[in-house]
């Protein structure tokens, strides 16, 4: 299994001194980040749909084996709530396509008050072309049942398994041949990281993407690095970052 581990975002000035060199210019952050990890979850695309020129600029700063995971614009997931989004999805996919081999999964995170609606989910998934790796993050418990899991499997879409500090418990269910974990707690000790690594490795996934939450103290990069160390020590060499 190839593990792509990183953080949600990279451009955080408060990480200077703990992760980035203290005097590193902002324009060099992505390049430095890519020397440590091989994937990043870009959350700023949620607030503003990415342009092809912006994505091309990112791609130029990282190695060919680096993967950008893009969070879908809020117009798709929160404003229109997956309904009548054909044009928005097409535009998002067209822009994302310029990343070519550097494009990882696309994250579609639904709002917490968006309850289960399988017909709407089906109509949305039908908009995605074959081969598009889409991860669905449901934040209402009504989505977690066999009907929804079967729908995701039929469309080869991934269930985003998020671990938050709230009361929502996301089932650890595989719906396609790759996995997507969002570890959102502010801290994970060695035992917790080992437990997550073991659960992921028990799956029949070819790839597993794991992202730690941004926080000002810079613990996310440290936990990502520690997880990679554990994965490398526990078996054959994994995908770097």
């Amino acid at each position: 299994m190839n593990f792509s581990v990183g953080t949600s975002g990279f451009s955080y000035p408060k990480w200077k001194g703990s992760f980035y060199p203290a005097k590193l210019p902002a324009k060099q952050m992505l390049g430095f980040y890519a020397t440590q990890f091989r994937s990043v979850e870009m959350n700023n695309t949620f607030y503003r749909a990415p342009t092809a020129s912006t994505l091309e600029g990112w791609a130029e700063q990282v190695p060919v084996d680096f993967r950008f995971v893009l969070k879908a614009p809020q117009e798709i997931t929160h404003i229109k709530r997956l309904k009548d989004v054909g044009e928005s999805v097409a535009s998002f996919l067209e822009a994302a396509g310029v990343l070519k081999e550097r494009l990882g999964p696309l994250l579609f995170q639904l709002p917490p008050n968006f309850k289960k609606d399988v017909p709407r989910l089906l109509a949305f998934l039908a908009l995605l072309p074959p081969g598009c790796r889409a991860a669905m993050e449901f934040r209402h418990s009504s989505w977690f049942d066999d009907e929804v899991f079967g729908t995701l499997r039929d469309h080869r879409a991934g269930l985003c398994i998020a671990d938050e500090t709230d009361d929502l418990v996301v089932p650890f269910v595989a719906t396609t041949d790759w996995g997507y974990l969002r570890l959102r707690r502010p801290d994970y000790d060695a035992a917790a990281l080992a437990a997550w690594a073991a659960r992921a490795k028990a799956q029949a996934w070819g790839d597993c993407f794991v992202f730690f939450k941004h926080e000002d103290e810079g613990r996310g990069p440290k936990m990502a690095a520690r997880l990679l160390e554990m994965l490398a020590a526990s078996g054959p060499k994994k995908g770097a970052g």
Side-chain angles (χ1 to χ4, degrees):
M1 187 185 302
N2 178 59
F3 282 89
S4 294
V5 181
T7 58
S8 295
F10 68 88
S11 184
Y12 303 118
K14 290 188 177 181
W15 284 6
K16 289 186 178 183
S18 62
F19 175 62
Y20 294 116
K23 297 184 179 180
L24 186 74
K27 64 181 180 180
Q28 296 180 22
M29 284 184 173
L30 178 56
F32 179 90
Y33 177 98
T35 67
Q36 307 299 307
F37 305 112
R38 286 293 178 266
S39 190
V40 65
E41 182 188 80
M42 299 301 294
N43 287 333
N44 59 355
T45 55
F46 172 77
Y47 300 101
R48 175 180 292 183
T51 63
S53 60
T54 295
L55 298 183
E56 288 172 345
W58 292 348
E60 292 172 355
Q61 301 177 58
V62 301
V64 69
D65 64 344
F66 190 92
R67 298 292 179 268
F68 289 98
V69 173
L70 307 182
K71 189 174 182 180
Q74 60 183 331
E75 178 184 8
I76 295 172
T77 56
H78 285 58
I79 298 175
K80 294 186 175 180
R81 300 163 73 92
L82 305 185
K83 185 177 182 180
D84 299 326
V85 293
E87 187 174 325
S88 299
V89 168
S91 178
F92 179 47
L93 293 175
E94 182 178 6
V98 306
L99 290 172
K100 299 180 180 178
E101 66 271 20
R102 293 177 176 86
L103 178 62
L106 303 175
L107 174 64
F108 295 89
Q109 181 195 65
L110 304 188
N113 63 356
F114 190 167
K115 298 180 181 180
K116 174 185 172 182
D117 187 334
V118 171
R120 188 175 299 193
L121 176 64
L122 279 166
F124 167 73
L125 292 175
L127 298 173
L128 305 178
C132 175
R133 290 198 287 187
M136 302 299 303
E137 182 177 358
F138 304 117
R139 294 193 289 166
H140 192 280
S141 59
S142 60
W143 289 96
F144 303 134
D145 64 20
D146 289 341
E147 182 183 20
V148 173
F149 300 150
T151 299
L152 295 179
R153 291 190 181 102
D154 289 344
H155 290 80
R156 299 182 63 80
L159 173 68
C160 172
I161 301 169
D163 181 46
E164 297 272 5
T165 55
D166 58 20
D167 295 330
L168 184 67
V169 177
V170 181
F172 202 110
V173 175
T175 59
T176 189
D177 57 1
W178 52 271
Y180 195 112
L181 310 181
R182 301 186 86 221
L183 304 185
R184 318 306 293 164
R185 297 179 186 273
D187 200 14
Y188 290 88
D189 61 18
L193 291 176
W196 279 103
R199 296 174 80 184
K201 289 173 67 177
Q203 305 300 313
W205 289 330
D207 297 299
C208 182
F209 294 83
V210 185
F211 297 106
F212 290 87
K213 184 178 182 179
H214 157 253
E215 31 59 51
D216 291 340
E217 293 76 13
R219 286 190 296 265
K222 291 182 174 65
M223 290 185 288
R226 181 65 182 126
L227 179 60
L228 283 169
E229 291 174 359
M230 289 181 174
L231 292 167
S234 64
K237 180 70 175 178
K238 304 293 187 291

